[in-house]
Amino acid sequence: LEEIEPKSLADRWILSRAERLTAEVTRLLNEYQFGEAGRQIFEFLWSEYCDWYIEIAKAQLQEKGHRKRTAQILRAVLDRALRLLHPFMPYVTEEVWQHLYADVPEDERPAPALIVAPWPVPTAAGQRQMDSEADEEFGLLQEIITRIRDARKQAEVEPGRRIPVILVGGERSSLLKHQSALIEQLARTEPPKVERKLAAKPEQAMSL
């Protein structure tokens, strides 16, 4: 993972989360806390990797300059998660791992089989991948997107309908402007209007 240079905030976030997971699962296994280690891998795979990064990757894979790097990150992070999960689900993870490298010549694969692949070890370079700023900034985007989704359900908005959104960002306005396309994609909105301040709430608007 440390060899991949992230391009987007989402790239930085998922690489950081994968490194944190590696360090935490290794610690938990060394302390014989197998249940908690398994729970954390499960949460990472289903929530962070599948629910968030794969959805973002669908758009990034359409961008010429971002396609190859996104594919590398998708494969590398899944590889890392499968290695961590292998002690819990050896047969399933081995089968998935073999499919993951089905298009790679045998002499170029990281190992001939997952069972003999090295256990991922947090390194100094990996520690640098633990990007607290990316975690915090992406966490804010997750909260905004989740709240918009919840508001859509509350207002019974049709799933395919895009809604207008005004984001009053204050000091975070620059971040929100830069990430507005991500909010538009995942919350199914019109291009968000980002304001540093807003004198009054527009009529008939739901405030979050």
Side-chain angles (χ1 to χ4, degrees), residues 11-35:
D11 293 344
R12 289 169 52 202
W13 170 75
I14 197 65
L15 291 172
S16 173
R17 299 304 299 167
E19 287 293 351
R20 288 181 191 279
L21 180 74
T22 300
E24 190 62 12
V25 168
T26 301
R27 180 186 69 80
L28 290 167
L29 292 180
N30 287 335
E31 295 175 0
Y32 303 100
Q33 296 187 49
F34 305 124

Side-chain angles (χ1 to χ4, degrees), residues 142-158:
Q142 286 178 300
E143 184 177 357
I144 290 170
I145 291 163
T146 300
R147 288 196 182 193
I148 294 173
R149 287 172 172 174
D150 290 344
R152 290 177 63 101
K153 290 179 184 176
Q154 184 181 336
E156 299 181 343
V157 177
E158 299 91 336

